[in-house]
Amino acid sequence: MAKKIGRNEPCPCGSGKKYKKCCGQNEPLDFSLPENMLTGTPLDDYMRLYQGVSIYAQGIGQFEEEGKILKRVESELEKKLRPGKEDGIPLSLFMSWLHFDFRFGRTRETVVERFMRSAPASRLIEPGPTHLRHFAESYCTFYEVLDVHEDRLEFLELGTGETWQVFRANEPYEKEAAPGDLWYLRLLGSPSGAYIYTSPYIYPPESKSWLTLMVRELEKSALDERLEIALSGRDLFKEACKANVPNWALFFLGRYDDIVPLGSAAVGSSPRGSEANAESPGKPTLFNTDGQLMSLTKVFFKVKDRNGLKERLAALKGFTYDARDKDWTWQRRTKRQARTFGKMVIAKLRLRADRLIGEVNSLERATELIGRLTFELGDLLAYEKVESKSIDSFPDPTEEEMRKFDKEQQELYSYPEIREAIEKQHEDYYLKEWIRTKTPALDNQTPLAAVRTEEGKRLVAMLLDEFGEGEERRPAYEPKFDFDRLRIKLGLPPKKN
């Protein structure tokens, strides 16, 4: 019997290419599963097909230029999320996100979307093509268990209100299914017949109200981020779910400080601001340090054990108690928060009778607070409601009020020590930190790395032009940063006046 040719060995035809990139492409796809992995259901076909997707992903990482992005993201998140480890997330959650959800490169396609256009995929027969489409269309989100049957589970999707019929596959967690529980998982198939693909995270029925709110806010944040694909209707919700898997994973691991809000904007740029101002000319639109639209928001929790709550709140990471004001402050520093500006305040909390009231400045932070406290202190309190009032809904200040505010600001900025402190802050941020910070607008490169290519120089120059225009719109009495200093440091020509 002839020796089987390894996929990474030179092709025997003499082309000089690897076997899998040459004659090996014409081999029929043949993937098998160990006996102990077989379920006796169509889920086995999905698992066999996934081996092909996984091999194709390895090829992208090894042979394609854009594969560097895929490999870098995989390496970085493996360190954070520790997939498959006892203190990490399920491997199925991580790998399905990496291959079915993560968009990268110029086409912004996922691995499975690229695989669907490949030569190996063109030779698949049904149900292979349909199952590939199910991979591409799938996403992780929360479902409520409506009913438990001998052969299937009935789920209600929180984000869309759609009912799913999910066939059992004899997995141990299926025995835990109870009506009212909330499951975070990925389904493969259609609402009329699907299978569970990832190990679920399960929450009790009382979690439904805050989980529903969080899912809704994540959908809104995806719209704010303006993903670079055509979105409409249900697709918007699907893409929000796909983009947020790493954030949910960090949440499940209790790694709240590492969560990056989807709607965050880069310092010096507010992509949503121009749109909001177009709708309401002359009225400033305000954002917090995470780039989230500001609103005066209160979160109410009903307290079950007041004394126990005080002790547990004081023990939470990032929470400090002020004995004078008798309130708690939640502070943290995120990767998007410059070290120059120190930690930022996420929320203020105070106890009033049998209520714990949290005050935040955006709906996104409200959902973050709800999730954190319910997860950490769910035995001591229960989420009740959110009250929010947009800053835009307040009446416009009168001319007299504006003159008074302007005068106060001019007096404040007239102090040399204040101007020096602000100028030093700008210098430290832009010249030392920003140039070494990975930026989404630069395809997750740092400005220092981006300017090594002509295309990168063009993108960095555009960002600096935008930052500079923002500075010019500030009042004349405020200290301004000279972005030509940053251009020179990055090897770019000064801006032409």
Side-chain angles (χ1 to χ4, degrees):
M1 181 180 292
K3 178 185 175 184
K4 183 174 176 63
I5 303 167
R7 288 177 54 77
N8 288 313
E9 292 179 14
C11 188
C13 75
S15 66
K17 298 180 180 179
K18 292 194 176 184
Y19 181 61
K20 66 182 177 183
K21 287 288 185 176
C22 191
C23 298
Q25 295 187 73
N26 298 320
E27 279 194 351
L29 295 175
D30 180 24
F31 303 116
S32 57
L33 292 173
E35 286 294 326
N36 63 350
M37 290 184 62
L38 295 174
T39 65
T41 71
L43 193 57
D44 296 342
D45 293 329
Y46 284 112
M47 298 301 292
R48 292 189 188 99
L49 182 59
Y50 177 70
Q51 294 183 63
V53 177
S54 180
I55 292 171
Y56 183 77
Q58 292 174 31
I60 293 175
Q62 188 172 356
F63 299 109
E64 297 185 18
E65 183 65 25
E66 293 183 342
K68 295 177 182 178
I69 303 172
L70 184 67
K71 290 179 69 174
R72 184 180 71 244
V73 168
E74 180 178 8
S75 175
E76 290 175 353
L77 284 182
E78 275 185 335
K79 293 175 185 176
K80 276 187 181 180
L81 304 178
R82 298 180 58 77
K85 307 293 185 183
E86 188 173 339
D87 59 347
I89 65 170
L91 189 62
S92 58
L93 177 62
F94 177 73
M95 296 308 296
S96 64
W97 172 80
L98 186 69
H99 294 154
F100 303 163
D101 300 338
F102 176 57
R103 299 189 175 279
F104 63 100
R106 294 188 181 278
T107 65
R108 313 305 295 169
E109 289 181 304
T110 63
V111 167
V112 74
E113 287 170 345
R114 294 162 192 248
F115 181 68
M116 290 167 73
R117 295 189 285 101
S118 70
S122 68
R123 299 192 300 276
L124 288 171
I125 60 173
E126 289 294 350
T130 297
H131 287 174
L132 273 183
R133 191 174 67 252
H134 288 166
F135 282 155
E137 294 175 350
S138 69
Y139 51 91
C140 292
T141 190
F142 280 94
Y143 298 85
E144 179 184 1
V145 179
L146 292 181
D147 208 347
V148 179
H149 303 276
E150 187 175 341
D151 62 335
R152 70 187 191 283
L153 304 174
E154 190 172 341
F155 284 113
L156 175 71
E157 190 173 349
L158 291 192
T160 64
E162 194 163 20
T163 301
W164 289 70
Q165 302 297 325
V166 180
F167 298 117
R168 288 177 175 268
N170 300 316
E171 295 288 353
Y173 52 72
E174 293 173 359
K175 299 176 183 179
E176 302 176 26
D181 281 352
L182 289 308
W183 290 28
Y184 181 82
L185 47 77
R186 182 186 300 271
L187 296 178
L188 292 179
S190 65
S192 60
Y195 287 91
I196 296 173
Y197 191 71
T198 58
S199 301
Y201 283 90
I202 302 174
Y203 285 81
E206 53 266 30
S207 303
K208 182 177 180 179
S209 58
W210 67 265
L211 283 176
T212 302
L213 179 63
M214 290 184 77
V215 168
R216 188 163 62 243
E217 285 304 310
L218 289 178
E219 178 185 3
K220 186 173 79 68
S221 71
L223 177 61
D224 293 339
E225 187 75 355
R226 296 184 297 185
L227 297 168
E228 298 176 32
I229 51 176
L231 296 176
S232 62
R234 200 178 195 285
D235 286 341
L236 173 63
F237 175 75
K238 177 180 72 175
E239 291 301 327
C241 293
K242 285 175 171 288
N244 270 287
V245 170
N247 277 342
W248 281 116
L250 290 166
F251 174 77
F252 297 141
L253 295 176
R255 301 274 299 282
Y256 311 105
D257 287 0
D258 292 331
I259 293 174
V260 178
L262 249 193
S264 296
V267 174
S269 173
S270 295
R272 288 174 286 173
S274 58
E275 295 174 3
N277 284 330
E279 297 171 5
S280 180
K283 188 173 184 179
T285 301
L286 302 179
F287 300 88
N288 64 18
T289 49
D290 276 332
Q292 301 158 349
L293 190 64
M294 290 184 68
S295 60
L296 301 181
T297 304
K298 291 184 178 181
V299 185
F300 295 82
F301 300 89
K302 190 169 180 61
V303 176
K304 303 173 185 177
D305 182 347
R306 185 183 174 97
N307 292 327
L309 179 64
K310 287 182 177 180
E311 295 176 1
R312 292 268 293 279
L313 266 177
L316 286 183
K317 180 183 177 182
F319 283 73
T320 55
Y321 181 67
D322 187 323
R324 185 188 65 181
D325 295 335
K326 297 182 179 179
D327 62 13
W328 288 264
T329 300
W330 178 18
Q331 289 181 295
R332 64 172 167 79
R333 191 198 311 278
T334 69
K335 289 189 174 180
R336 293 197 178 201
Q337 175 74 6
R339 288 187 295 273
T340 309
F341 302 107
K343 291 184 178 180
M344 61 182 175
V345 175
I346 301 299
K348 288 277 191 180
L349 301 107
R350 51 193 170 84
L351 274 171
R352 293 292 183 271
D354 62 344
R355 296 287 189 280
L356 178 68
I357 303 171
E359 297 180 353
V360 294
N361 64 10
S362 72
L363 282 171
E364 288 90 343
R365 288 185 178 175
T367 57
E368 192 177 353
L369 179 65
I370 293 167
R372 174 91 191 259
L373 295 189
T374 307
F375 184 81
E376 299 267 15
L377 308 173
D379 55 328
L380 299 176
L381 50 73
Y383 163 68
E384 188 174 26
K385 65 178 180 177
V386 165
E387 292 181 356
S388 182
K389 190 170 184 179
S390 170
I391 291 178
D392 287 344
S393 67
F394 287 89
D396 291 332
T398 64
E399 290 186 12
E400 178 59 32
E401 289 172 331
M402 288 297 292
R403 280 195 296 269
K404 181 180 178 182
F405 175 77
D406 195 61
K407 182 179 179 181
E408 291 172 349
Q409 292 294 298
Q410 289 189 52
E411 290 177 356
L412 178 66
Y413 288 115
S414 68
Y415 291 100
E417 59 271 25
I418 291 179
R419 296 185 68 86
E420 288 174 10
I422 293 174
E423 288 167 357
K424 179 68 165 56
Q425 205 173 64
H426 287 165
E427 288 178 5
D428 288 345
Y429 175 68
Y430 286 112
L431 299 177
K432 296 179 182 179
E433 187 166 345
W434 183 79
I435 59 173
R436 294 179 174 83
T437 301
K438 293 181 179 180
T439 305
L442 302 175
D443 205 8
N444 252 9
Q445 296 184 89
T446 68
L448 280 174
V451 294
R452 294 171 186 166
T453 66
E454 290 303 315
E455 175 63 12
K457 288 179 181 178
R458 186 183 69 83
L459 293 175
V460 172
M462 288 175 58
L463 272 181
L464 298 186
D465 288 348
E466 186 179 340
F467 292 171
E469 290 169 4
E471 287 285 272
E472 291 304 316
R473 289 193 292 268
R474 295 158 70 97
Y477 53 76
E478 290 190 20
K480 295 180 177 62
F481 180 72
D482 182 2
F483 281 94
D484 273 347
R485 296 177 61 191
L486 188 52
R487 288 185 179 90
I488 293 170
K489 192 174 182 69
L490 291 169
L492 299 174
K495 187 177 179 182
K496 295 179 182 179
N497 294 322

